[in-house]
C-alpha cells in the first residue's frame, strides 16, 4: 500500500489537495482511504459529508476505484493505545489529593495524541484493504513534531525503560510504603513496550521511500514559500522523501487586473522562486477556482487538471539524502540539507553520534563504527549538501 502525506503551512489548502488527490487515484481504479490527522478537521467539509473516526465510503466508480474517508479522533486513539498508563498516572496524581483537580486534563501530553493517531497508518498498512492511504496532515510545525516523535521517544524508552522496570520491581514496594505514592505494575510497562515497538515499526515504515512520500503544499507567496523551504530542509534532516511540491491558489492574471495588478509581478516572482528552489522535484500547479473546492463533482473536475497524465499514486521523485565516501584516511559524509544556512547550523560529535541542528530542529545520527574512531576535521556546504569530513 502506498502512503502519501500532504503537509504545509496552515491555510494553504492541504485538505483540498488531499481530497482531490484521493479522487484522482480512485478514478484510476485504486481503492483509496483519505484520513485527516489535523485536530481542526475539515476533510468532511471538502467532500460535503459528515465523517467519523471510522472509514466510510464517499464515492465509488464502476472500474472498482473508491474513496473512503475518516477523521481521526485523537482522544479515542490515545485511550485505546495507553489506557493502562493513563490509569496508573491518574492514580498517582490523585493519591495525595482530596480532589479538585481533573486528572484527565493533566494526562494530555502535547503531541502524544496526534502521535497515536499516526499509529492508524500502521493499522491500515497491515490490513491490506486499500491500494493507497492519503493523509491530510496538521500544519507544518505540528507535522514535523509528529514525524520526529517515533525516533526521539523510542530512543529514550529503549535506554530508560529496562532500568525503570527493574528498579520498580526491586525498590517499588519500599518506596510505595514510604511515600504512599502507588508504583506502576507490569501492565504499565507492557503498554510502554507496546507503544515503543509500534513507534519503531512506524519509523521504519515512514523511512521506506518506496512506500511513503511526503508532498509539500504551498502558495506562490514569499512568506509561504519560505515556510515550504524550511519544511523541505527539516524533512530531509529526518531522512523523509519529499517527492512533489503542490502549488495551490495561483491567481489567473486576468483576475488580477485593475485593483490587484501589483500582485501580478509578485506572483510571477514567487512562481519563479519555486521553480528555481525546487528545480529537481516535480511540481503541480492549481489555479484559484471560481468556486470552492467542495463536493465530489468539483473535486473530480479538478483532479484531472491538477495531475494531467501523472499517476499520483506513484513515487514521483527520490533523492539520496545520505552518502559516504572515502578519500585516503579521510571519510566524507554527505547530507542533503537544501536551503540550510551556515549561521543556522550546529554541528557536534558526541561519541557514537553526530549531532546536527538546523535552526530550531535537532537530529542525532548514529555513526558507523569506523567513523566513531575518527574526529570531525571540517564541514562545508556544496550544492545543497553538507559535507562533513572525518579523519
Amino acid at each position: 500500500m502506498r502512503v502519501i502525506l500532504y503537509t504545509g503551512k496552515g491555510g494553504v489548502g492541504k485538505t483540498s489537495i488531499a481530497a482531490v488527490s484521493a479522487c484522482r487515484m480512485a478514478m484510476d481504479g485504486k481503492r483509496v482511504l483519505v484520513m485527516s490527522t489535523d485536530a481542526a478537521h475539515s476533510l468532511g467539509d471538502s467532500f460535503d459529508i459528515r465523517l467519523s473516526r471510522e472509514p466510510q465510503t464517499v464515492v465509488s466508480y464502476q472500474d472498482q476505484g473508491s474513496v473512503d474517508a475518516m477523521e481521526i479522533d485523537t482522544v479515542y486513539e490515545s485511550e485505546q493505545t495507553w489506557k493502562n498508563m493513563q490509569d496508573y498516572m491518574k492514580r498517582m496524581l490523585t493519591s495525595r489529593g482530596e480532589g479538585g483537580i481533573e486528572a484527565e486534563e493533566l494526562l494530555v501530553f502535547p503531541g502524544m495524541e496526534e502521535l497515536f493517531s499516526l499509529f492508524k497508518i500502521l493499522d491500515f498498512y497491515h490490513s491490506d484493504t486499500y491500494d493507497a492511504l492519503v493523509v491530510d496532515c496538521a500544519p507544518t510545525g505540528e507535522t514535523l513534531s509528529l514525524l520526529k516523535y517515533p525516533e526521539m521517544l523510542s530512543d529514550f524508552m529503549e535506554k530508560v525503560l529496562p532500568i525503570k522496570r527493574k528498579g520498580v520491581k526491586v525498590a517499588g514496594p519500599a518506596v510505595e510504603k514510604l511515600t504512599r505514592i502507588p508504583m506502576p505494575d507490569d501492565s504499565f510497562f507492557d503498554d510502554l513496550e507496546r507503544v515503543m515497538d509500534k513507534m519503531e515499526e512506524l519509523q521504519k515504515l515512514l523511512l521506506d521511500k518506496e512506500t511513503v512520500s511526503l508532498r509539500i503544499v504551498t502558495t506562490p507567496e514569499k512568506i509561504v514559500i519560505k515556510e515550504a523551504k524550511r519544511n523541505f530542509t527539516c524533512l530531509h534532516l529526518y531522512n523523509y522523501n519529499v517527492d512533489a511540491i503542490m502549488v495551490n491558489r495561483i491567481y489567473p492574471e486576468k483576475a488580477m487586473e485593475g485593483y490587484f495588478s501589483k500582485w501580478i509581478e509578485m506572483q510571477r516572482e514567487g512562481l519563479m522562486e519555486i521553480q528555481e528552489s525546487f528545480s529537481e522535484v516535480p511540481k503541480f500547479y492549481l489555479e484559484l477556482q471560481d468556486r470552492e473546492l467542495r463536493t465530489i463533482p468539483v473535486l473530480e473536475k479538478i483532479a484531472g487538471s491538477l495531475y494531467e497524465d501523472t499517476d499520483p499514486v506513484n513515487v514521483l521523485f527520490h533523492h539520496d539524502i545520505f552518502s559516504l565516501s572515502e578519500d585516503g584516511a579521510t571519510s566524507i559524509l554527505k547530507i542533503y540539507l537544501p536551503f540550510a544556512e551556515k549561521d543556522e547550523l550546529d554541528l557536534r560529535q558526541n561519541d557514537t553520534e553526530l549531532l546536527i541542528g538546523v535552526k530550531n530542529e535537532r537530529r542525532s545520527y548514529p555513526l558507523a563504527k569506523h567513523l566513531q574512531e575518527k574526529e570531525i576535521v571540517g564541514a562545508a556546504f556544496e550544492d545543497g549538501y553538507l559535507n562533513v569530513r572525518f579523519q
Side-chain angles (χ1 to χ4, degrees), residues 10-88:
V12 296
K14 297 183 301 297
T15 301
S16 299
I17 296 295
V20 166
S21 302
C23 285
R24 172 56 190 268
M25 295 174 197
M27 291 163 68
D28 290 339
K30 305 293 192 302
R31 298 165 301 162
V32 184
L33 172 64
V34 55
M35 72 179 191
S36 169
T37 63
D38 192 344
H41 295 300
S42 58
L43 185 61
D45 299 329
S46 292
F47 290 110
D48 198 25
I49 188 173
R50 186 180 180 87
L51 297 177
S52 68
R53 66 181 183 224
E54 298 297 332
Q56 62 189 84
T57 302
V58 295
V59 61
S60 296
Y61 298 99
Q62 291 183 349
D63 56 1
Q64 304 305 311
S66 64
V67 176
D68 288 4
M70 63 182 293
E71 293 176 337
I72 298 290
D73 184 337
T74 56
V75 175
Y76 174 80
E77 296 302 331
S78 68
E79 288 176 348
Q80 296 301 304
T81 304
W82 71 329
K83 186 178 187 305
N84 290 325
M85 288 189 281
Q86 284 187 319
D87 288 345
Y88 163 68

Coordinates of all heavy atoms in Angstrom, one line a residue, residues 10-88:
G10 N -0.3 26.3 7.6 CA -1.8 26.4 7.7 C -2.4 27.3 6.8 O -1.9 28.4 6.5
G11 N -3.5 26.9 6.2 CA -4.3 27.7 5.3 C -3.9 27.7 3.8 O -4.5 28.4 3.0
V12 N -3.0 26.8 3.4 CA -2.5 26.7 2.0 C -3.4 25.8 1.2 O -3.3 25.7 0.0 CB -1.1 26.3 1.9 CG1 -0.2 27.3 2.5 CG2 -0.8 24.9 2.5
G13 N -4.3 25.0 1.8 CA -5.2 24.1 1.1 C -4.8 22.7 1.1 O -5.1 22.0 0.1
K14 N -4.1 22.2 2.1 CA -3.7 20.8 2.2 C -4.9 19.9 2.1 O -4.8 18.9 1.4 CB -3.0 20.6 3.6 CG -1.7 21.3 3.7 CD -1.0 21.0 5.0 CE -1.9 21.2 6.3 NZ -2.2 22.7 6.4
T15 N -6.0 20.2 2.8 CA -7.1 19.3 2.8 C -7.7 19.2 1.5 O -8.1 18.1 1.0 CB -8.2 19.8 3.8 OG1 -7.6 19.9 5.1 CG2 -9.4 18.9 3.9
S16 N -7.9 20.3 0.7 CA -8.4 20.3 -0.6 C -7.6 19.5 -1.5 O -8.1 18.6 -2.3 CB -8.6 21.7 -1.1 OG -9.5 22.4 -0.3
I17 N -6.2 19.7 -1.5 CA -5.3 18.9 -2.4 C -5.4 17.4 -2.0 O -5.3 16.6 -2.9 CB -3.9 19.5 -2.2 CG1 -3.8 20.9 -2.7 CG2 -2.9 18.6 -3.0 CD1 -4.1 21.1 -4.1
A18 N -5.4 17.1 -0.7 CA -5.5 15.7 -0.4 C -6.8 15.0 -0.9 O -6.8 13.9 -1.4 CB -5.4 15.5 1.2
A19 N -7.9 15.7 -0.8 CA -9.2 15.2 -1.3 C -9.2 15.1 -2.8 O -9.6 14.0 -3.3 CB -10.3 16.1 -0.8
V20 N -8.6 16.1 -3.5 CA -8.5 16.0 -4.9 C -7.7 14.8 -5.4 O -8.0 14.1 -6.3 CB -8.0 17.3 -5.5 CG1 -7.5 17.2 -7.0 CG2 -9.0 18.4 -5.4
S21 N -6.5 14.6 -4.7 CA -5.6 13.6 -5.0 C -6.3 12.2 -4.8 O -6.1 11.3 -5.6 CB -4.3 13.7 -4.1 OG -3.7 14.9 -4.3
A22 N -7.0 12.0 -3.7 CA -7.7 10.8 -3.4 C -8.7 10.5 -4.5 O -8.8 9.3 -5.0 CB -8.4 10.8 -2.1
C23 N -9.4 11.5 -5.0 CA -10.4 11.3 -6.1 C -9.7 10.8 -7.4 O -10.2 9.9 -8.1 CB -11.2 12.5 -6.3 SG -12.4 12.9 -5.0
R24 N -8.6 11.5 -7.7 CA -7.8 11.1 -8.9 C -7.4 9.7 -8.8 O -7.5 8.9 -9.8 CB -6.7 12.1 -9.1 CG -5.7 11.7 -10.2 CD -6.5 11.6 -11.6 NE -5.6 11.0 -12.6 CZ -4.8 11.7 -13.4 NH1 -4.8 13.0 -13.3 NH2 -4.1 11.0 -14.3
M25 N -6.8 9.2 -7.7 CA -6.4 7.9 -7.6 C -7.5 6.9 -7.8 O -7.4 5.8 -8.4 CB -5.7 7.6 -6.2 CG -4.4 8.4 -6.0 SD -3.8 8.3 -4.4 CE -2.6 9.7 -4.3
A26 N -8.7 7.2 -7.2 CA -9.8 6.3 -7.3 C -10.4 6.3 -8.7 O -10.8 5.2 -9.2 CB -10.9 6.8 -6.3
M27 N -10.3 7.4 -9.4 CA -10.8 7.5 -10.8 C -9.9 6.6 -11.7 O -10.3 6.2 -12.7 CB -10.8 9.0 -11.3 CG -11.8 9.8 -10.6 SD -11.5 11.6 -10.8 CE -11.8 11.8 -12.5
D28 N -8.7 6.4 -11.2 CA -7.8 5.5 -11.9 C -7.9 4.0 -11.5 O -7.1 3.2 -11.9 CB -6.3 5.9 -11.7 CG -6.0 7.2 -12.4 OD1 -6.7 7.6 -13.4 OD2 -5.0 7.9 -12.0
G29 N -8.9 3.7 -10.7 CA -9.2 2.4 -10.3 C -8.6 1.9 -9.0 O -8.7 0.7 -8.7
K30 N -8.1 2.8 -8.2 CA -7.5 2.5 -6.9 C -8.5 2.5 -5.8 O -9.4 3.3 -5.8 CB -6.3 3.4 -6.6 CG -5.2 3.5 -7.7 CD -4.5 2.2 -7.8 CE -3.2 2.4 -8.7 NZ -3.5 2.9 -10.1
R31 N -8.3 1.6 -4.8 CA -9.0 1.7 -3.6 C -8.3 2.6 -2.6 O -7.1 2.3 -2.2 CB -9.2 0.3 -2.9 CG -9.9 -0.7 -3.8 CD -9.7 -2.1 -3.2 NE -8.3 -2.4 -3.2 CZ -7.7 -3.4 -2.5 NH1 -8.5 -4.1 -1.7 NH2 -6.4 -3.6 -2.6
V32 N -8.9 3.8 -2.3 CA -8.1 4.8 -1.5 C -8.8 5.1 -0.2 O -10.1 5.2 -0.2 CB -8.1 6.1 -2.4 CG1 -7.2 7.2 -1.7 CG2 -7.5 5.8 -3.8
L33 N -8.0 5.3 0.8 CA -8.5 5.8 2.1 C -7.8 7.2 2.3 O -6.6 7.2 2.3 CB -8.2 4.9 3.2 CG -8.5 5.4 4.7 CD1 -10.0 5.7 4.8 CD2 -8.0 4.5 5.7
V34 N -8.6 8.2 2.5 CA -8.0 9.5 2.9 C -8.5 9.8 4.3 O -9.6 9.7 4.7 CB -8.5 10.6 1.9 CG1 -10.0 10.7 1.8 CG2 -7.9 12.0 2.3
M35 N -7.5 10.2 5.1 CA -7.8 10.5 6.5 C -7.1 11.8 7.0 O -6.0 12.1 6.5 CB -7.4 9.3 7.5 CG -6.0 9.1 7.7 SD -5.7 7.7 8.8 CE -3.9 7.9 9.2
S36 N -7.7 12.4 8.0 CA -7.2 13.7 8.5 C -6.7 13.4 9.9 O -7.3 12.9 10.7 CB -8.3 14.7 8.5 OG -7.9 15.9 9.3
T37 N -5.4 13.9 10.1 CA -4.8 13.9 11.5 C -4.8 15.3 12.1 O -4.3 15.4 13.2 CB -3.4 13.4 11.4 OG1 -2.6 14.3 10.7 CG2 -3.3 12.0 10.8
D38 N -5.4 16.2 11.4 CA -5.4 17.6 12.0 C -6.6 17.7 13.0 O -7.7 17.2 12.7 CB -5.7 18.6 10.8 CG -5.5 20.0 11.2 OD1 -5.5 20.3 12.5 OD2 -5.4 20.9 10.4
A39 N -6.3 18.2 14.2 CA -7.3 18.3 15.2 C -8.5 19.2 14.7 O -9.6 18.9 15.1 CB -6.7 18.9 16.5
A40 N -8.2 20.2 13.9 CA -9.2 21.0 13.3 C -9.7 20.4 12.0 O -9.3 20.9 10.9 CB -8.7 22.4 13.1
H41 N -10.5 19.3 12.1 CA -10.8 18.6 10.9 C -11.7 19.4 9.9 O -12.6 20.1 10.3 CB -11.6 17.3 11.2 CG -10.9 16.3 12.0 ND1 -9.7 15.7 11.6 CD2 -11.1 15.8 13.3 CE1 -9.3 14.9 12.5 NE2 -10.0 14.9 13.5
S42 N -11.4 19.3 8.6 CA -12.2 19.9 7.6 C -12.3 19.0 6.4 O -12.9 19.5 5.4 CB -11.6 21.3 7.2 OG -10.3 21.2 6.7
L43 N -11.8 17.8 6.5 CA -11.9 16.9 5.4 C -13.4 16.6 5.0 O -13.7 16.5 3.8 CB -11.2 15.6 5.7 CG -11.0 14.5 4.6 CD1 -10.3 15.1 3.5 CD2 -10.4 13.3 5.2
G44 N -14.2 16.4 6.0 CA -15.6 16.2 5.7 C -16.3 17.3 4.9 O -17.1 17.1 4.1
D45 N -15.8 18.5 5.2 CA -16.3 19.7 4.5 C -16.0 19.7 3.0 O -16.8 20.1 2.2 CB -15.8 21.0 5.1 CG -16.2 21.2 6.6 OD1 -17.3 20.7 6.9 OD2 -15.4 21.8 7.4
S46 N -14.8 19.2 2.7 CA -14.3 19.1 1.3 C -15.2 18.1 0.5 O -15.6 18.4 -0.6 CB -12.9 18.6 1.2 OG -12.0 19.6 1.7
F47 N -15.6 17.0 1.2 CA -16.5 16.0 0.5 C -18.0 16.4 0.7 O -18.8 15.7 0.1 CB -16.2 14.6 1.0 CG -14.9 14.1 0.6 CD1 -13.9 13.9 1.5 CD2 -14.7 13.7 -0.7 CE1 -12.6 13.4 1.2 CE2 -13.4 13.2 -1.1 CZ -12.4 13.0 -0.2
D48 N -18.2 17.4 1.5 CA -19.6 17.8 1.8 C -20.4 16.6 2.4 O -21.5 16.3 2.1 CB -20.3 18.3 0.5 CG -21.6 19.1 0.9 OD1 -21.6 19.7 2.0 OD2 -22.5 19.2 0.0
I49 N -19.7 16.0 3.4 CA -20.3 14.9 4.1 C -19.8 14.8 5.5 O -18.7 15.3 5.8 CB -20.0 13.5 3.4 CG1 -20.8 12.4 3.9 CG2 -18.5 13.3 3.4 CD1 -20.6 11.1 3.1
R50 N -20.6 14.3 6.4 CA -20.2 14.2 7.8 C -19.4 12.9 8.0 O -19.9 11.8 7.7 CB -21.4 14.2 8.8 CG -21.0 14.3 10.2 CD -22.3 14.2 11.1 NE -22.0 14.3 12.5 CZ -21.8 15.4 13.2 NH1 -21.9 16.6 12.6 NH2 -21.5 15.4 14.5
L51 N -18.1 13.1 8.5 CA -17.3 11.9 8.7 C -17.1 11.6 10.1 O -17.4 12.4 11.0 CB -15.9 12.2 8.1 CG -15.8 12.5 6.6 CD1 -14.4 12.8 6.1 CD2 -16.3 11.3 5.8
S52 N -16.7 10.4 10.4 CA -16.5 9.9 11.8 C -15.1 9.3 11.9 O -14.2 9.4 11.0 CB -17.5 8.8 12.1 OG -17.3 7.7 11.4
R53 N -14.8 8.7 13.1 CA -13.5 8.1 13.3 C -13.3 6.8 12.6 O -12.2 6.2 12.7 CB -13.3 8.0 14.8 CG -14.2 7.0 15.5 CD -13.9 6.9 17.0 NE -14.7 5.9 17.6 CZ -15.3 6.1 18.8 NH1 -15.1 7.3 19.4 NH2 -16.0 5.2 19.4
E54 N -14.3 6.3 11.9 CA -14.2 5.0 11.2 C -14.4 5.3 9.7 O -15.1 6.2 9.3 CB -15.3 4.0 11.6 CG -15.3 3.6 13.1 CD -14.0 2.8 13.4 OE1 -13.4 2.2 12.5 OE2 -13.5 2.9 14.5
P55 N -13.7 4.6 8.8 CA -13.8 4.8 7.4 C -15.2 4.6 6.8 O -15.9 3.7 7.2 CB -12.8 3.8 6.8 CG -11.9 3.4 7.9 CD -12.7 3.5 9.1
Q56 N -15.6 5.5 6.0 CA -16.9 5.4 5.3 C -16.7 5.8 3.8 O -15.9 6.7 3.5 CB -18.0 6.2 5.9 CG -17.7 7.7 5.9 CD -18.7 8.5 6.8 OE1 -18.6 8.6 8.0 NE2 -19.8 9.0 6.1
T57 N -17.4 5.1 3.0 CA -17.2 5.3 1.5 C -17.9 6.6 1.1 O -19.1 6.8 1.5 CB -17.8 4.1 0.7 OG1 -17.2 2.9 1.1 CG2 -17.7 4.4 -0.8
V58 N -17.2 7.5 0.4 CA -17.8 8.7 0.0 C -18.0 8.7 -1.5 O -18.9 9.5 -2.0 CB -16.9 9.9 0.3 CG1 -16.8 10.1 1.8 CG2 -15.5 9.8 -0.3
V59 N -17.3 7.9 -2.3 CA -17.6 7.7 -3.7 C -17.0 6.4 -4.2 O -15.9 6.0 -3.8 CB -17.0 8.9 -4.5 CG1 -15.5 9.0 -4.4 CG2 -17.4 8.9 -6.0
S60 N -17.7 5.8 -5.2 CA -17.3 4.6 -5.8 C -17.4 4.7 -7.3 O -18.3 5.4 -7.8 CB -18.1 3.3 -5.4 OG -17.9 3.1 -4.0
Y61 N -16.5 4.1 -8.1 CA -16.5 4.2 -9.5 C -16.7 2.8 -10.1 O -16.4 1.8 -9.5 CB -15.2 4.8 -10.0 CG -15.0 6.2 -9.5 CD1 -14.2 6.5 -8.4 CD2 -15.7 7.3 -10.1 CE1 -14.0 7.8 -8.0 CE2 -15.5 8.6 -9.7 CZ -14.7 8.8 -8.6 OH -14.6 10.1 -8.1
Q62 N -17.2 2.7 -11.3 CA -17.5 1.4 -12.0 C -16.3 0.6 -12.2 O -16.4 -0.6 -12.3 CB -18.2 1.7 -13.3 CG -19.6 2.3 -13.1 CD -20.4 2.4 -14.5 OE1 -19.7 2.3 -15.5 NE2 -21.6 2.7 -14.4
D63 N -15.1 1.2 -12.4 CA -13.9 0.4 -12.6 C -13.3 0.0 -11.3 O -12.1 -0.3 -11.2 CB -12.9 1.2 -13.4 CG -12.5 2.6 -12.7 OD1 -13.1 2.8 -11.6 OD2 -11.7 3.3 -13.3
Q64 N -14.1 -0.1 -10.2 CA -13.7 -0.6 -8.9 C -12.9 0.4 -8.0 O -12.6 0.0 -6.9 CB -12.9 -1.9 -9.0 CG -13.6 -3.0 -9.9 CD -14.9 -3.4 -9.3 OE1 -15.1 -3.6 -8.1 NE2 -16.0 -3.4 -10.2
G65 N -12.6 1.5 -8.5 CA -12.0 2.5 -7.7 C -13.0 3.1 -6.7 O -14.2 3.2 -7.0
S66 N -12.5 3.5 -5.5 CA -13.3 4.1 -4.5 C -12.5 4.9 -3.6 O -11.3 4.8 -3.4 CB -14.0 3.0 -3.7 OG -13.1 2.2 -3.0
V67 N -13.2 5.9 -2.9 CA -12.6 6.7 -1.9 C -13.4 6.5 -0.6 O -14.6 6.7 -0.5 CB -12.7 8.2 -2.2 CG1 -12.1 9.1 -1.1 CG2 -11.9 8.5 -3.5
D68 N -12.7 6.0 0.5 CA -13.2 6.0 1.8 C -12.5 7.2 2.6 O -11.4 7.5 2.3 CB -12.9 4.7 2.5 CG -13.7 3.5 2.0 OD1 -14.5 3.8 1.0 OD2 -13.6 2.4 2.5
A69 N -13.2 7.7 3.6 CA -12.6 8.9 4.3 C -12.9 8.7 5.8 O -13.9 8.1 6.2 CB -13.2 10.2 3.7
M70 N -12.1 9.3 6.6 CA -12.3 9.3 8.0 C -11.5 10.5 8.7 O -10.6 11.0 8.1 CB -11.8 8.0 8.7 CG -10.3 7.8 8.5 SD -9.7 6.2 9.2 CE -10.0 6.5 10.9
E71 N -12.0 10.9 9.8 CA -11.3 12.0 10.6 C -10.9 11.4 11.9 O -11.8 10.9 12.7 CB -12.2 13.2 10.8 CG -12.5 13.9 9.5 CD -13.5 15.0 9.6 OE1 -14.3 15.1 10.6 OE2 -13.5 15.9 8.7
I72 N -9.6 11.3 12.2 CA -9.1 10.7 13.4 C -9.6 11.4 14.7 O -9.5 12.6 14.8 CB -7.5 10.7 13.4 CG1 -7.0 9.9 12.2 CG2 -7.0 10.1 14.7 CD1 -7.2 8.4 12.3
D73 N -10.1 10.6 15.6 CA -10.5 11.0 16.9 C -9.3 10.8 17.8 O -9.0 9.7 18.3 CB -11.7 10.3 17.4 CG -12.2 10.7 18.8 OD1 -11.4 11.4 19.5 OD2 -13.4 10.5 19.1
T74 N -8.5 11.8 18.1 CA -7.2 11.7 18.8 C -7.4 11.2 20.3 O -6.6 10.4 20.8 CB -6.4 13.0 18.8 OG1 -7.2 14.0 19.3 CG2 -6.0 13.3 17.4
V75 N -8.4 11.7 20.9 CA -8.7 11.3 22.3 C -9.0 9.8 22.3 O -8.5 9.1 23.2 CB -9.9 12.1 22.9 CG1 -10.2 11.6 24.3 CG2 -9.5 13.6 22.9
Y76 N -9.9 9.3 21.5 CA -10.2 7.9 21.4 C -9.0 7.1 21.1 O -8.8 6.0 21.8 CB -11.3 7.7 20.3 CG -11.6 6.2 20.1 CD1 -12.5 5.6 21.0 CD2 -11.1 5.5 19.0 CE1 -12.8 4.2 20.8 CE2 -11.4 4.2 18.8 CZ -12.3 3.5 19.7 OH -12.6 2.2 19.5
E77 N -8.2 7.5 20.2 CA -7.0 6.7 19.8 C -6.0 6.6 20.9 O -5.4 5.6 21.2 CB -6.3 7.3 18.6 CG -7.1 7.2 17.3 CD -7.6 5.8 16.9 OE1 -6.8 4.9 17.2 OE2 -8.7 5.7 16.3
S78 N -5.8 7.7 21.7 CA -4.9 7.7 22.8 C -5.4 6.8 23.9 O -4.6 6.1 24.6 CB -4.6 9.1 23.4 OG -5.8 9.6 24.0
E79 N -6.7 6.8 24.2 CA -7.3 5.9 25.2 C -7.1 4.4 24.8 O -6.8 3.6 25.7 CB -8.8 6.2 25.3 CG -9.0 7.5 26.0 CD -10.5 7.8 26.1 OE1 -11.3 7.1 25.4 OE2 -10.9 8.8 26.8
Q80 N -7.2 4.1 23.5 CA -7.0 2.8 23.1 C -5.6 2.3 23.2 O -5.3 1.1 23.4 CB -7.5 2.6 21.6 CG -9.0 2.9 21.4 CD -9.8 1.9 22.2 OE1 -9.7 0.7 22.1 NE2 -10.7 2.5 23.0
T81 N -4.6 3.3 23.0 CA -3.2 2.9 22.9 C -2.6 2.8 24.3 O -1.8 1.9 24.5 CB -2.5 4.0 22.1 OG1 -3.1 4.1 20.8 CG2 -1.0 3.6 21.9
W82 N -2.9 3.7 25.2 CA -2.2 3.6 26.5 C -3.1 3.8 27.7 O -2.8 4.5 28.6 CB -1.1 4.7 26.5 CG -1.5 6.1 26.6 CD1 -2.6 6.7 26.1 CD2 -0.7 7.2 27.3 NE1 -2.6 8.0 26.4 CE2 -1.4 8.3 27.1 CE3 0.5 7.2 27.9 CZ2 -1.0 9.6 27.6 CZ3 0.9 8.4 28.4 CH2 0.2 9.6 28.3
K83 N -4.2 3.0 27.7 CA -5.1 3.1 28.8 C -4.5 2.7 30.2 O -4.7 3.4 31.2 CB -6.3 2.1 28.5 CG -7.4 2.3 29.6 CD -8.6 1.4 29.2 CE -9.8 1.6 30.2 NZ -9.4 1.5 31.6
N84 N -3.7 1.7 30.2 CA -3.1 1.3 31.5 C -2.1 2.4 32.0 O -2.1 2.6 33.2 CB -2.3 0.0 31.3 CG -3.2 -1.2 31.1 OD1 -4.3 -1.3 31.6 ND2 -2.8 -2.2 30.2
M85 N -1.4 3.0 31.1 CA -0.5 4.1 31.6 C -1.3 5.3 32.1 O -1.0 5.8 33.1 CB 0.3 4.6 30.4 CG 1.4 3.6 30.0 SD 2.6 4.3 28.8 CE 1.6 4.1 27.3
Q86 N -2.4 5.6 31.4 CA -3.3 6.7 31.9 C -3.9 6.3 33.3 O -4.0 7.2 34.2 CB -4.4 7.0 30.9 CG -3.9 7.8 29.7 CD -5.0 8.2 28.8 OE1 -6.0 7.4 28.6 NE2 -5.0 9.4 28.3
D87 N -4.3 5.1 33.4 CA -5.0 4.7 34.7 C -4.0 4.8 35.9 O -4.3 5.3 36.9 CB -5.4 3.2 34.6 CG -6.7 3.1 33.7 OD1 -7.3 4.1 33.5 OD2 -7.0 1.9 33.3
Y88 N -2.7 4.4 35.6 CA -1.7 4.5 36.7 C -1.4 6.0 37.0 O -1.3 6.3 38.2 CB -0.4 3.8 36.3 CG 0.8 4.2 37.1 CD1 0.8 3.9 38.5 CD2 1.8 5.1 36.6 CE1 1.9 4.3 39.3 CE2 2.8 5.5 37.4 CZ 2.8 5.1 38.7 OH 3.9 5.6 39.5

